[in-house]
Amino acid sequence: MKRKALLTALLLAVLAVTLSATAYADTTYSVYIMDPNNSANGAKGVSSSGYWVGQIPIRITSGTQTFQTTSYCMEHGKVVHIGSTYTASLTPATDTATWRAVSYILSWHEPTDDTTAAVDQVAIWKLIDPSYTRDSWLDINIYNTGIALAASANGHDMVRQDDQFNWLSPITSNGASIQGSPGQTVVFTAQLTNSGGTPRPNVKVQFTVTLNNEGSSIPLGAPYVTPAEDFTDSQGRVHVSVTVPEDTPLGSTIQVQACTRSVWSQRYVDLTNPDNQDLIAMGEPFGLTMSTNICILGYITVVPESALGALSALAAFAAAFIIWKRTHHTKHAIAKP
């Protein structure tokens, strides 16, 4: 019994050490700062007076897992050095107005060139630290554009992975169709809610409308589609007006697509040394960001206006018949002795 108890104790000790090592591997990371000036590292930005403004390429390692990605600086007044390796933890990003605004930039303002990457960095600095002001070495146009971007991002929210996005009218299910005639305007309404059914306001939604006829597809924009994008209101609702062009062939279909997306920051790279720059890194490995894309479709089937009129007349006749029938029965009941 003593040998069995001793063996059990040894196994428990080994298990405890293993769990401790696993927990350590899950919370401590090695972060190598790559050269952003090397385009092969996939980062965009500008260099000025020895400072880099824009995306920073990094390599994160934990145990045997390594992930290369790009990141943005969080604190304007701190630094990291190219070619250096730092220890870090990955700290959860809280669901605050600041992090929602940062995620808005990551989601809707992906940089297309070096200048827009620098603008994104300035906007993130301003969102995290509203007191941030321009240094003399930073281009005034980049600074002003970044400040304007930060202002436009404030107050917005993002779609999350478990959110529900549905049509409310004139259709109520994804892929449903209604009838419309040339020249008619149809207003589509959709709603975005969280997993519990609570409306999610201030989320950007983009609309794409396409006219399909006999195998050809023609995108429709203004003045047939208003607006091209909008934000959900306090009820999580968003609207788009679609006008069927006058010359649309009968039998055509018009596809209405409403889409929203997000790159939601879940954890940021928290460097152990407080003198070093913390980083917002992109990518789903290590749970850094979570990407979500939701689209819903609706259709307008183009029919002659007379067909719609006939349907309306038929509906009106049916309603009148029901009213007459009910009135008739009521009078008969009153007249009955």
Side-chain angles (χ1 to χ4, degrees):
M1 291 293 293
K2 288 185 178 180
R3 288 185 60 187
K4 185 175 180 181
L6 179 60
L7 180 60
T8 301
L10 287 173
L11 288 174
L12 289 174
V14 170
L15 178 61
V17 170
T18 303
L19 290 174
S20 176
T22 301
Y24 182 80
D26 286 342
T27 57
T28 303
Y29 300 81
S30 172
V31 180
Y32 175 70
I33 309 300
M34 306 172 71
D35 186 358
N37 295 288
N38 184 347
S39 59
N41 290 331
K44 298 180 179 69
V46 299
S47 181
S48 178
S49 300
Y51 294 95
W52 178 262
V53 184
Q55 296 175 325
I56 299 175
I58 61 175
R59 188 164 58 240
I60 305 174
T61 301
S62 177
T64 59
Q65 185 179 4
T66 296
F67 175 59
Q68 180 177 328
T69 186
T70 56
S71 62
Y72 289 101
C73 293
M74 291 179 61
E75 299 97 354
H76 169 258
K78 299 180 181 180
V79 297
V80 289
H81 297 281
I82 296 172
S84 296
T85 300
Y86 301 90
T87 58
S89 59
L90 299 184
T91 300
T94 54
D95 190 353
T96 62
T98 296
W99 279 107
R100 290 193 288 271
V102 168
S103 291
Y104 178 87
I105 292 175
L106 300 181
S107 304
W108 296 104
H109 205 264
E110 184 176 356
T112 56
D113 54 32
D114 292 334
T115 299
T116 53
V119 167
D120 286 355
Q121 177 62 89
V122 170
I124 290 171
W125 277 336
K126 187 66 174 179
L127 288 170
I128 293 175
D129 180 8
S131 67
Y132 160 66
T133 55
R134 184 181 75 95
D135 291 290
S136 59
W137 47 264
L138 179 61
D139 180 84
I140 184 64
N141 292 322
I142 290 177
Y143 174 79
N144 287 338
T145 307
I147 297 304
L149 177 60
S152 69
N154 264 321
H156 294 310
D157 200 354
M158 309 302 302
V159 64
R160 315 298 169 78
Q161 190 175 33
D162 296 328
D163 284 1
Q164 302 297 314
F165 193 33
N166 299 294
W167 293 114
L168 292 182
S169 66
I171 57 176
T172 56
S173 60
N174 188 24
S177 177
I178 63 164
Q179 292 184 329
S181 61
Q184 181 183 3
T185 297
V186 181
V187 179
F188 286 81
T189 301
Q191 185 181 43
L192 179 67
T193 62
N194 65 18
S195 58
T198 301
R200 193 178 291 284
N202 303 317
V203 176
K204 180 187 280 191
V205 176
Q206 293 182 325
F207 301 104
T208 303
V209 179
T210 308
L211 170 61
N212 302 304
N213 179 55
E214 296 183 350
S216 64
S217 297
I218 302 173
L220 297 180
Y224 302 107
V225 181
T226 307
E229 62 182 35
D230 204 355
F231 293 88
T232 55
D233 61 18
S234 60
Q235 296 301 310
R237 298 179 180 181
V238 65
H239 315 274
V240 60
S241 297
V242 179
T243 299
V244 181
E246 293 281 0
D247 58 351
T248 301
L250 301 181
S252 303
T253 60
I254 295 178
Q255 176 182 284
V256 181
Q257 178 176 271
C259 291
T260 186
R261 66 175 186 263
S262 70
V263 178
W264 178 254
S265 290
Q266 297 189 114
R267 301 201 289 176
Y268 66 89
V269 181
D270 189 350
L271 299 190
T272 304
N273 189 331
D275 293 330
N276 296 135
Q277 181 72 245
D278 293 331
L279 304 167
I280 300 172
M282 271 63 71
E284 295 192 6
F286 297 124
L288 298 170
T289 57
M290 175 66 71
S291 296
T292 301
N293 294 275
I294 300 180
C295 292
I296 52 177
L297 296 174
Y299 294 89
I300 301 173
T301 301
V302 182
V303 299
E305 184 177 3
S306 58
L308 292 177
L311 289 173
S312 299
L314 180 62
F317 172 78
F321 176 76
I322 293 171
I323 293 172
W324 176 86
K325 186 175 182 181
R326 287 177 178 172
T327 303
H328 176 76
H329 277 283
T330 301
K331 290 182 177 179
H332 181 74
I334 293 174
K336 185 176 181 180

